[in-house]
C-alpha cells in the first residue's frame, strides 16, 4: 500500500511561521560569532565597524539591537540587512531554509516543492534502508560488521543505520510506488545513477552499509555508505553527491544529536570519520561531530561552534602526516572564522592508536577520557613538536624551525598570548627574541604588539590603586546614570566609550541587558531589582551594586540635574583619569630610560600628545 502524499497548506502569515520555526540566535550565529551574556547574547555588530560587542540578541523576544549604530529588528530584518536583499527576497530565502511554503504568488514555489520532495525521498529511503538492515536475510553481513565494530542495537536505531540491497533497483521501485515519482527525480535527488551498460536507472547504493546524514533539524539530507564486499576494488566509502539539499562543505556529521550536548558542555570534539563519531557518541562523548574526512571549512566551523559560547574545540584527527596537516589547516581556518572572538583549540593525542574509534575499541572509553583531559593547546603542541627538538640544533635548523612556527602563529590575534609564545620560543632555542619578532613580522600582516613589562615600585603601586579608586567612583556614578536613563546607554555606545574597571564593565553589560529586554521599563526600583537578580552570586559585583543601591537612595538631588549634563561631566572625568593613568605609566618608563636615547625622545613626544589631549578635555572647565 502506497503512502499518501500530504500537501503542505500555505499559512496565512508565513512571516509568523518563519519566526516560530527559526531561532534568532542560531540564525545570526551562522554569519557572526555570538556569546551568551545572561539571558541575552552579544555579538560584534556587522552593520558598522564595531570594535567591541555592541549588538544584543534576545532569544525570548526574537529581536536584536545594536546600541552603537542603532540597527535592530527581528531575524528577517537581520537576514535582509546582512545580505542586502529586498524584504520579499529575504522572505523567500528564509521560507526555503525552514521548509515553509509561501502562497501561490511566490515565484519560488516550484523550487520549494522540489526541495521538500527531495527531503521526503531521503526520509523514505532512510526508513527503507533501516528496515532492510533489521529484517533482511541478505543484510546479515552488514549486521555482522556492526557487531564486529561493537555498535549496539540502541546506536543502530539512534542513527537509523541501514543496508542497501545488492539488487539493482529496489529503492527506485520503492520510492516510485510510494511517492509517485519519475526516475529522473530520483536521479536529481542523488539516490539513483544512470547505467549505460543496462541503459536504465539503478540505485546509487547497492550492497552497502548505509549511514544517514542528517542536518541540525534532524532531517535526512544525504547518505554515507561503506562497502561490505572484501573483493570490491572501488572506494571503501561512497557518499551522496552534492544536491540542492546537501552541500558537504556546509554540513558536519552528527550535528543533529550533538548540538544540545555541545551547548551543555560548552565544547565540541571534532573527528574525521563516521565511525569515529558514532563510537564516541556511543561511549558517552555526545558533543562530538565528524567533518566527513574533508578539510574543515568555514561553514562547518560556523555550524559546529554556534552552539558553544566559549568556542572550545578539540581536534581529534588521525595520527599520521595527513592528520597533522589537516589540524594545521583547520586551526588556520578556525582563526579566520572566529576572528576577534576568544577561542581555544586543543589537540587530542593517543600515539598507539590511529583514531578515536580504534582507541575506544581497544582500550575503552576511559582511555579516550584520559586523552581528552591531557589534550594540549594547539600552539603548545606545535611548539613541543617543532621547536623543542631543536633546542641544541644547528643555527640553520633553528632558523628553519622559527620560519615554520611563525606560520603556525599567524591566526593569533591576542597580542599578550602572541608575546608569551615568542618568549617561550626564544628561550627554548636560546636566541634573541628580536629574531622571532622579525620572522613573525614577515608572516603576520599586522604590527607586533609586545606589551611593556617592568616591575613597579611600592610608590607606583600605591598611585595605581589611588587612580583605580577614582576610576571606580566615577564609573559607579556612570552606572547609576545608565540605569536611570536608557538613552545614556545608546550615547555611550555611539561615542565608542568604554569603562576601565572589569567589574564595572560586567555590571554595565547587565544594565544594557535589562534595557534591551525591558525597553518600556522606567521604574528605577524595578530595574535595580532586575540588576540584583542578574548579578547573582558574584560578590565583587554585588559590593558595587550595593553601593549603587545606597547612592540611588541618596541621589535624589542628582536626579533633578540634566542627564545630558551629568553624562558629559562623567565622560570628561573618565577620559581625564584615563589620560592621567597613561601619563603616569610613561613617566615610569622614562625613569628607566637613557635620556640621550632616541626612544626617550619618542616617549617624551608621546607624553606631550597626551598632555595636549588632557588640556583639550579640561578647557570647558577652565572656560
Amino acid at each position: 500500500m502506497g503512502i499518501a502524499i500530504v500537501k503542505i497548506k500555505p499559512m496565512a502569515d508565513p512571516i509568523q511561521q518563519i519566526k516560530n520555526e527559526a531561532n534568532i540566535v542560531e540564525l545570526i550565529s551562522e554569519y557572526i560569532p555570538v556569546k551568551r551574556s545572561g539571558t541575552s547574547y552579544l555579538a560584534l555588530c556587522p552593520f558598522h565597524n564595531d570594535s567591541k560587542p555592541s549588538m544584543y540578541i534576545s532569544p525570548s523576544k526574537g529581536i536584536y539591537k545594536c546600541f552603537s549604530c542603532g540597527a535592530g529588528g527581528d531575524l528577517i530584518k537581520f537576514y535582509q540587512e546582512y545580505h542586502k536583499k529586498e524584504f520579499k527576497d529575504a522572505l523567500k530565502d528564509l521560507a526555503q531554509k525552514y521548509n515553509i511554503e509561501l502562497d501561490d504568488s511566490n515565484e519560488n514555489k516550484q523550487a520549494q516543492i522540489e526541495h521538500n520532495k527531495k527531503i521526503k525521498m531521503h526520509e523514505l529511503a532512510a526508513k527503507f534502508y533501516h528496515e532492510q538492515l533489521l529484517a533482511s536475510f541478505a543484510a546479515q553481513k552488514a549486521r555482522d560488521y556492526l557487531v564486529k565494530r561493537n555498535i549496539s542495537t540502541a546506536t543502530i536505531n539512534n542513527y537509523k543505520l541501514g543496508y542497501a540491497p545488492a539488487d539493482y533497483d529496489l529503492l527506485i521501485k520503492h520510492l516510485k510506488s510510494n511517492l509517485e515519482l519519475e526516475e529522473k527525480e530520483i536521479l536529481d535527488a542523488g539516490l539513483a545513477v544512470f547505467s549505460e551498460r543496462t541503459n536504465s536507472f539503478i540505485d546509487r547504493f547497492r550492497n552497502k552499509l548505509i549511514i544517514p546524514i542528517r542536518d541540525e533539524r534532524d532531517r535526512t539530507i544525504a547518505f554515507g555508505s561503506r562497502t561490505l564486499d572484501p573483493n570490491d576494488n572501488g572506494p571503501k566509502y561512497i557518499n551522496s553527491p552534492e544536491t540542492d539539499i546537501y552541500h558537504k562543505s556546509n554540513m558536519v556529521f552528527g550535528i543533529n544529536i550533538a548540538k544540545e550536548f555541545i551547548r551543555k558542555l560548552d565544547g565540541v570534539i571534532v573527528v574525521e570519520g563516521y565511525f569515529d563519531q558514532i563510537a564516541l557518541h556511543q561511549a558517552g562523548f555526545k558533543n562530538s561531530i565528524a567533518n566527513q574526512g574533508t578539510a574543515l571549512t568555514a561553514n562547518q566551523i560556523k555550524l559546529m561552534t554556534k552552539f558553544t559560547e566559549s568556542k572550545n574545540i578539540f581536534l581529534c584527527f588521525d595520527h599520521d602526516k595527513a592528520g597533522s596537516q589537516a589540524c594545521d589547516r583547520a586551526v588556520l581556518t578556525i582563526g579566520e572564522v572566529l576572528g576577534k572572538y576568544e577561542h581555544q583549540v586543543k589537540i587530542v593525542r593517543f600515539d598507539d592508536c590511529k583514531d578515536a574509534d580504534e582507541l575506544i575499541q581497544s582500550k575503552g572509553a576511559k582511555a579516550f577520557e584520559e586523552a581528552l583531559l591531557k589534550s594540549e593547546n594547539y600552539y603548545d603542541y606545535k611548539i613541543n613538536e617543532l621547536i623543542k627538538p631543536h633546542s641544541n640544533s644547528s643555527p640553520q635548523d633553528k632558523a628553519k624551525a622559527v620560519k615554520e612556527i611563525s606560520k603556525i602563529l599567524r591566526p593569533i590575534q591576542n597580542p599578550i598570548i602572541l608575546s608569551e609564545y615568542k618568549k617561550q620560543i626564544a628561550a627554548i632555542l636560546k636566541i634573541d627574541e628580536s629574531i622571532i619578532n622579525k620572522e613573525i613580522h614577515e608572516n603576520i600582516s599586522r604590527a607586533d604588539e609586545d606589551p611593556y613589562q617592568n616591575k613597579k615600585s611600592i610608590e607606583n603601586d600605591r598611585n595605581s590603586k589611588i587612580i583605580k579608586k577614582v576610576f571606580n567612583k566615577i564609573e559607579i556614578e556612570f552606572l547609576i546614570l545608565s540605569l536611570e536613563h536608557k538613552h545614556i546607554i545608546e550615547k555611550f555606545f555611539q561615542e565608542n566609550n568604554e569603562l576601565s574597571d572589569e567589574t564595572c564593565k560586567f555590571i554595565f553589560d547587565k544594565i544594557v541587558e535589562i534595557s534591551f529586554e525591558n525597553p518600556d521599563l522606567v521604574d528605577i526600583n524595578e530595574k535595580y531589582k532586575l540588576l540584583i537578580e542578574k548579578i547573582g552570586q558574584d560578590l565583587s559585583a554585588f559590593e558595587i551594586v550595593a553601593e549603587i543601591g545606597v547612592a540611588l537612595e541618596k541621589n535624589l538631588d542628582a536626579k533633578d540635574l540634566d542627564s545630558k549634563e551629568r553624562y558629559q561631566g562623567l565622560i570628561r572625568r573618565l577620559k581625564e583619569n584615563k589620560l592621567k593613568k597613561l601619563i603616569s605609566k610613561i613617566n615610569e618608563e622614562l625613569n628607566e630610560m637613557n635620556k640621550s636615547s632616541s626612544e626617550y625622545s619618542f616617549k617624551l613626544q608621546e607624553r606631550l600628545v597626551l598632555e595636549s589631549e588632557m588640556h583639550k578635555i579640561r578647557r570647558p572647565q577652565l572656560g
Side-chain angles (χ1 to χ4, degrees), residues 272-273 276 316-324 354-356:
E272 293 187 85
D276 290 323
C316 186
F317 291 170
D318 289 356
H319 288 173
D320 52 20
K321 187 177 180 181
S324 178
K354 68 172 183 174
D355 55 35

Side-chain angles (χ1 to χ4, degrees), residues 5 96 107 146 159 169 220 227 239 248 266 286 290 330 360 369 432 437 457 476 496 512 525 535 570 595 619:
I5 302 173
Q96 181 167 350
E107 299 169 5
L146 292 171
Y159 281 84
D169 59 357
T220 306
T227 185
N239 299 326
K248 192 174 184 180
D266 197 21
K286 299 182 184 295
I360 289 172
E369 184 180 2
D432 195 280
N437 285 336
S457 65
I476 289 169
N496 205 28
V512 175
N525 293 322
I535 294 305
L570 287 170
K595 292 185 178 181
R619 192 176 298 156

Side-chain angles (χ1 to χ4, degrees), residues 531-544:
L531 182 59
I532 292 174
E533 290 176 12
K534 283 187 173 290
I535 294 305
Q537 301 300 314
D538 191 310
L539 296 179
S540 60
F542 196 82
E543 186 178 335
I544 292 176

